[in-house]
Amino acid sequence: MTTENQTPELTDGFHLVIDALKANDINTIFGLVGIPITDLCRLAQAEGMRFIGFRHEQHAGNAAAIAGFMTQKPGICLTVSAPGFLNGLTALANATVNCFPMILISGSSEREIVDLAQGDYEEMDQLNAAKPYAKAAYRINKAEDIGIGIARAIRTAVSGRPGGVYLDLPAQLLSQSISAAEGKKSIVRVVDPVPRQIPANDAIERALNVLKNAKRPLILLGKGAAYAQADSEIRALVEKSGIPYLPMSMAKGLLPDNHPQSASAARSFVLAEADVVLLIGARLNWLLAHGKGKTWGKEPKKFIQIDISPTEVDSNVPIEAPVIGDIGSCVSALVSGIASVSKPSPEWLGAIADKKEKNMSKMAETLAKNPSPMNFHSALRTIRDVLKTRPDVNLVNEGANTLDFCRAIVDMYQPRKRFDSGTWGIMGIGMGYSIGAAVTSGLPVVAVEGDSAFGFSGMEIETICRYKLPVTVVVFNNNGVYRGTDVNPTGGSDVAPTVFVKNARYDKMMEAFGGVGYNVTTPQELEVALTEAIAAGKPALINAVIDETAGTESGRLTNLNPSTAAKK
Ligand code: ADP
Ligand code: TPW
C-alpha cells in the first residue's frame, strides 16, 4: 500500500521472473542451484511452483524438453552461469534439433566485466554461445522488461516450429527493484501462444490430387504429429482414407500399434514399394534415409509433406505437394476432401498384409526362444507383455541394440508415451526424460536403458528417489557399449574401448538412495520384478543380465561406422 508519506511498495527481478512464469501457467522449474539463482529457486518453491533439483544441468534440461513435448508448453530449465549454462546447453540444442519447446534460463555474471573479459566468477558470453544451438537467444537487462522478455521467450519456443530458447538473466537484474504496481503492470500473459496456421486451399487440393492418382499410398507419422495433439484428426484421416501408415519411433501409440492399418511390421517393404508418401510431422533426415536410395526402392516417390516449417520442404528430395500449416488444421482440411480419394487397392493392402504376416511370424519365433543368459529379444518380449497390461505407462528408451529392438518389439497404445534418443540418436536422455515424464504426467515411467546409455545420466536416480517418482529403470547389462566381448589386441591390461566392468550391479546404485533394486537373470524374474515395481509406483532399478555376446556394434547403425562403410 502506498500512502503519501511512505515509499512505494517494491518488487524485484526475482519476484517478477516467478510472477511472469506463473501468469503463463508455468508451474514447474527443472534446475540446479548456485550463484546467482539459488534465491530464485527458493522463491519459486515459496510461491507454490514445483522446483525439481537435479544433479547435473543436462538432465534438468532434458526433463524440461520432454515436458515441452508432452504439453506444448515450454519446459523451463534454470541453471547458474558458465559451466551450469554449458551443461544445460546440450539439452537446449537437443530440444531444438528435436523441435521440442523449452526455455533454458541461466544466470550470468556482471556484463561490464564479461564484455571486457576481465575475469569474473563463472564468466562467459552466454548469449552468443547459445545462439547457434537455439531457436533464439534473448537477454533481459531491466526489471521492467522481465514480463515482456519471458512472454517473448514463451512465444518463440512454442509458435511455428517449436524449439529451444535461451534466456539470459544477469545477476544484477534479479536484484533490481521497481515499484510493485509498475511490476504488476509489466507482466504479460501470452495470448494464443500456439496459433493455428491454416493451410491454403490450393495446397490441400494439390495434395488430394496427388493422393487420387496414387496406386500404393502410405502415410508416415513423425513425432511432429504426436506433438501436435491432433490425435482424433489423424485417426480420422487414416481410417477414412484406408491408407496404411508407418509411425516413426516417437509417433508410436498415436494410433495403437496393433491397429490393422499399421504397416510397421512391413516397414522396409512399404518404404520401398509405396508410390505416394504423405509425411505428417516427419522430416526426411537420416532416420528416413533422406527420402532416397535403396531404402526407398527403384521408382521415384511422390511426396506430400505436412509441416509447419516451409523451409523443411525440398530439404532432401523434391516435394510434389507441400502443405504448410499446423498439423491439426492441415489434417482436418484433408479429411474434409478425403471422400473424393478412392480407397487403396486390395492388391496393395494384400501385399502389405502378406509381408506383415511373414515378418511377424518370423519375429514371433525369435521372441519365443528362451536362451540363457537372456538376450535382447527374450527380455523385451517380457517387457512388451507387461506393458501391454499398462498402456498408461510412459516408456523412455535409449541405447544401441536396446533402442532398436525395443522400438520394434514393445508396442505402444497411447499417444506421447514413448520418448527416446530422437533426431540425434543421443545417449543421456534417459533419467532426464524419465523425471520430466513422471513429473508432468504423474504416471509411471519405465526406462529401458542400455548399460552404457544409462551411465550418461545414472546419478539422477538420486533425484528420482528424492522426489519419490514412480520410475522403474531397466538396465540391459551386457558388460559394455554395444556388447561386452571386445578384447585389447595388444594383450595389455587396459580393456578394449567398448568394455565395462563385468557383472556390475546397477541395482545396488538404486538401493544406495533408498529405492528398490532387483537383479534378474531370466524372463520370469524380469516379469515379476517389472510388474511389482510398476504397481508399487516407487523408484526401482532392475539390473537385467543380458548375454554379452548378443547384439551388434552400433545396433542398426553398423553401416554408419566409417570402417564398415569403407568396405562397402
Ligand atoms: P521424426 O523424427 O519422428 O521423423 P521429426 O522430428 O524429424 O520427426 O519431424 C517433426 C516435424 O514436425 C518437424 O519438421 C516440425 O517442423 C514439424 N512440426 C512440429 N510441430 C508441428 C505442428 N504442430 N504442425 C505441423 N508441423 C509440426
Ligand atoms: C552423447 C555414441 C551410440 S549408442 C551408445 C553410444 C555410446 C551406447 C550403446 O551401448 P548400450 O546399448 O547403451 O550399452 P546396447 O543396447 O547396444 O547394449 N555419446 C553420446 N551419444 C551417442 N550416441 C554416443 C556417444 C553411442
Side-chain angles (χ1 to χ4, degrees):
M1 271 302 191
T2 314
T3 59
E4 273 162 35
N5 40 17
Q6 274 181 327
T7 49
E9 204 179 308
L10 295 176
T11 187
D12 60 18
F14 290 107
H15 285 87
L16 289 167
V17 171
I18 303 303
D19 293 348
L21 292 172
K22 282 173 65 176
N24 287 287
D25 304 321
I26 293 174
N27 298 309
T28 304
I29 293 178
F30 303 96
L32 207 166
V33 301
I35 296 171
I37 55 136
T38 313
D39 284 338
L40 188 58
C41 303
R42 286 201 183 101
L43 184 68
Q45 192 170 56
E47 296 280 318
M49 290 184 83
R50 190 145 196 223
F51 180 82
I52 306 290
F54 283 71
R55 304 300 292 261
H56 187 291
E57 292 87 350
Q58 186 180 133
H59 313 306
N62 285 330
I66 214 62
F69 173 73
M70 293 168 84
T71 62
Q72 290 192 345
K73 279 201 291 187
I76 306 291
C77 174
L78 185 57
T79 80
V80 301
S81 31
F85 157 79
L86 281 175
N87 285 344
L89 193 56
T90 304
L92 186 73
N94 184 57
T96 306
V97 163
N98 281 283
C99 314
F100 300 160
M102 75 170 274
I103 304 175
L104 173 67
I105 303 180
S106 298
S108 60
S109 313
E110 295 308 327
R111 284 254 48 84
E112 46 277 33
I113 303 180
V114 175
D115 290 347
L116 276 173
Q118 291 175 317
D120 205 0
Y121 167 71
E122 296 192 347
E123 174 185 299
M124 184 176 213
D125 182 3
Q126 294 164 201
L127 187 71
N128 280 312
K131 277 182 185 161
Y133 305 106
K135 188 174 168 189
Y138 306 118
R139 173 185 296 132
I140 305 175
N141 289 299
K142 295 196 306 202
E144 53 267 43
D145 288 341
I146 288 175
I148 200 71
I150 286 187
R152 189 146 169 67
I154 292 172
R155 187 177 289 284
T156 303
V158 292
S159 61
R161 171 181 278 177
V165 172
Y166 173 62
L167 189 60
D168 195 78
L169 302 186
Q172 56 79 21
L173 171 83
L174 294 170
S175 56
Q176 256 179 43
S177 293
I178 58 172
S179 90
E182 193 191 344
K184 199 166 172 200
K185 265 197 281 170
S186 73
I187 298 300
V188 177
R189 184 176 164 87
V190 180
V191 177
D192 194 14
V194 190
R196 289 203 301 153
Q197 299 196 22
I198 316 287
N201 289 337
D202 57 340
I204 294 295
E205 245 167 65
R206 193 183 295 116
L208 287 168
N209 275 334
V210 176
L211 276 180
K212 275 179 203 161
N213 292 317
K215 297 211 165 50
R216 296 179 304 281
L218 174 70
I219 293 175
L220 230 158
L221 301 173
K223 59 172 141 20
Y227 173 80
Q229 299 190 17
D231 309 342
S232 54
E233 290 91 332
I234 288 170
R235 183 184 271 267
L237 180 68
V238 168
E239 292 182 348
K240 286 193 175 152
S241 69
I243 298 174
Y245 75 93
L246 207 54
M248 298 300 284
S249 71
M250 281 180 61
K252 275 166 70 76
L254 185 41
L255 290 155
D257 275 337
N258 57 358
H259 192 286
Q261 284 171 257
S262 167
S264 287
R267 189 176 194 276
S268 312
F269 177 75
V270 290
L271 288 180
E273 296 298 323
D275 65 343
V276 169
V277 179
L278 166 56
L279 298 161
I280 307 183
R283 285 169 287 184
L284 285 173
N285 57 17
W286 68 282
L287 287 161
L288 283 170
H290 305 283
K292 56 196 172 192
K294 231 172 54 201
T295 308
W296 289 92
K298 288 190 202 87
E299 282 175 45
K301 310 278 150 186
K302 286 192 171 150
F303 287 103
I304 304 165
Q305 183 161 30
I306 299 181
D307 207 289
I308 203 145
S309 168
T311 54
E312 190 52 44
V313 173
D314 300 334
S315 58
N316 283 273
V317 290
I319 301 295
E320 190 87 5
V323 182
I324 302 306
D326 74 89
I327 284 169
S329 302
C330 295
V331 172
S332 299
L334 281 182
V335 170
S336 307
I338 202 69
S340 64
V341 176
S342 44
K343 293 267 162 74
S345 70
E347 291 76 43
W348 175 227
L349 299 181
I352 297 172
D354 284 353
K355 196 75 196 170
K356 265 172 78 171
E357 203 182 294
K358 266 194 209 118
N359 288 348
M360 281 161 92
S361 66
K362 214 158 74 191
M363 184 57 126
E365 245 172 62
T366 312
L367 289 174
K369 291 183 185 144
N370 270 317
S372 178
M374 275 191 293
N375 62 9
F376 291 100
H377 289 88
S378 59
L380 285 164
R381 174 194 75 209
T382 309
I383 292 176
R384 175 197 67 183
D385 293 345
V386 173
L387 291 188
K388 195 170 184 175
T389 67
R390 288 295 304 261
D392 58 324
V393 166
N394 298 290
L395 178 66
V396 172
N397 186 203
E398 61 177 337
N401 296 281
T402 306
L403 178 74
D404 296 338
F405 291 131
C406 182
R407 181 179 54 232
I409 294 168
V410 176
D411 289 333
M412 305 304 294
Y413 303 93
Q414 293 180 10
R416 296 169 296 282
K417 292 281 182 187
R418 189 188 147 87
F419 315 113
D420 65 28
S421 301
T423 303
W424 261 348
I426 194 174
M427 297 298 115
I429 48 84
M431 298 306 102
Y433 280 7
S434 295
I435 294 166
V439 166
T440 305
S441 68
L443 290 167
V445 176
V446 170
V448 179
E449 301 272 310
D451 50 346
S452 163
F454 172 68
F456 288 73
S457 64
M459 191 64 208
E460 299 296 343
I461 58 177
E462 189 276 330
T463 311
I464 291 170
C465 289
R466 189 166 10 110
Y467 293 100
K468 305 182 178 60
L469 297 173
V471 176
T472 304
V473 185
V474 184
V475 177
F476 277 12
N477 188 354
N478 61 356
N479 296 340
V481 181
Y482 315 128
R483 318 152 46 106
T485 48
D486 275 9
V487 287
N488 176 343
T490 70
S493 63
D494 285 349
V495 297
T498 56
V499 167
F500 289 161
V501 165
K502 303 264 181 211
N503 308 318
R505 291 287 300 273
Y506 293 97
D507 49 314
K508 290 187 185 284
M509 288 173 66
M510 189 54 112
E511 288 173 357
F513 301 108
V516 180
Y518 299 90
N519 185 51
V520 303
T521 57
T522 65
Q524 290 76 14
E525 287 171 358
L526 176 55
E527 184 187 340
V528 171
L530 185 59
T531 308
E532 188 178 292
I534 294 172
K538 296 198 179 111
L541 190 149
I542 303 171
N543 184 58
V545 179
I546 302 286
D547 183 354
E548 66 174 3
T549 67
T552 53
E553 178 155 328
S554 307
R556 198 173 56 84
L557 303 182
T558 303
N559 61 327
L560 295 187
N561 280 312
S563 54
T564 317
K567 279 184 209 138
K568 286 196 10 192

